[in-house]
């Protein structure tokens, strides 16, 4: 059985993105193990001279390393991902690189009608950056709009078409992971380049302390 780490991209205590991941965790319990991980509690990203990484980020990286794939659920704030999710991804590319070539499925829930579509597009760009280089499943975002009305009192998705769509994406993601396992010829080179990369090369003491 495959194992996924599902990242809640919000620090809200009543996040519908967390609710979506919990729904997936229970719906696919017989097919895949999904462990939900929180970004709440992480400090805003800041470079330090000793490249100190929060213990929460290290623990998250360890979980990602041991997983077959990652699911990220993001809300949308002002057409972008939340600052806390951006910080989490920055910490996960600061001297550690657990998302390198890691298969990722993007999901998102929003209160409005667009279903976090712009935030998901931005998230895809970030995950594709040279410091992260995750392997995001193409053309596969799950967009849950009007998320406050999307679940019943048992936490189940009300719309049967949405459920069918999500079922198909989860099946495709499992196959995407298998395909991705065959595409790692450059993994070692990328890992070496990232290890040699310096965030502070050519900067002054003043710039490092910003």
């Amino acid at each position: 059985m495959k194992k996924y780490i599902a990242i809640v991209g919000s620090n809200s205590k009543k996040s519908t993105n967390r609710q979506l991941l919990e729904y997936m965790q229970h719906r696919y319990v017989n097919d895949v193990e999904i462990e939900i991980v929180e970004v709440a509690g992480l400090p805003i990203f800041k470079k330090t001279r000793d490249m100190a990484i929060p213990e929460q980020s290290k623990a998250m990286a360890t979980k990602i390393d041991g997983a077959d794939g990652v699911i990220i659920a993001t809300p949308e704030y002002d057409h972008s991902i939340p600052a806390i999710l951006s910080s989490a991804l920055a910490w996960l590319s600061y001297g550690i690189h657990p998302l390198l070539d890691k298969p990722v499925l993007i999901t998102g829930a929003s209160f409005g009608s667009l279903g976090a579509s712009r935030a998901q597009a931005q998230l895809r760009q970030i995950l594709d950056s040279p410091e992260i280089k995750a392997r995001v499943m193409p053309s596969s975002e799950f967009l849950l709009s009007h998320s406050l009305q999307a679940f019943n009192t048992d936490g189940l998705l009300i719309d049967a078409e949405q459920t069918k769509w999500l079922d198909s994406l989860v099946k495709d993601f499992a196959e995407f992971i298998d395909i991705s396992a065959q595409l790692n010829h450059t993994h070692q080179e990328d890992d070496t380049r990232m290890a040699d990369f310096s965030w502070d090369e050519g900067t002054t003491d003043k710039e490092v302390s910003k």
Side-chain angles (χ1 to χ4, degrees), residues 71-84:
I71 304 170
I72 303 178
T74 180
E76 182 171 312
Y77 300 151
D78 299 326
H79 292 182
S80 64
I81 65 173
I84 188 66

Side-chain angles (χ1 to χ4, degrees), residues 86-102:
S86 179
S87 280
L89 294 173
W91 286 123
L92 291 173
S93 61
Y94 189 53
I96 53 176
H97 307 285
L99 288 166
L100 172 62
D101 292 331
K102 185 68 66 172

Side-chain angles (χ1 to χ4, degrees), residues 133-147:
K133 295 199 70 172
R135 189 164 284 152
V136 186
M137 190 164 81
S139 305
S140 60
E141 299 93 340
F142 181 72
L143 309 171
L144 184 63
S145 58
H146 303 294
S147 57

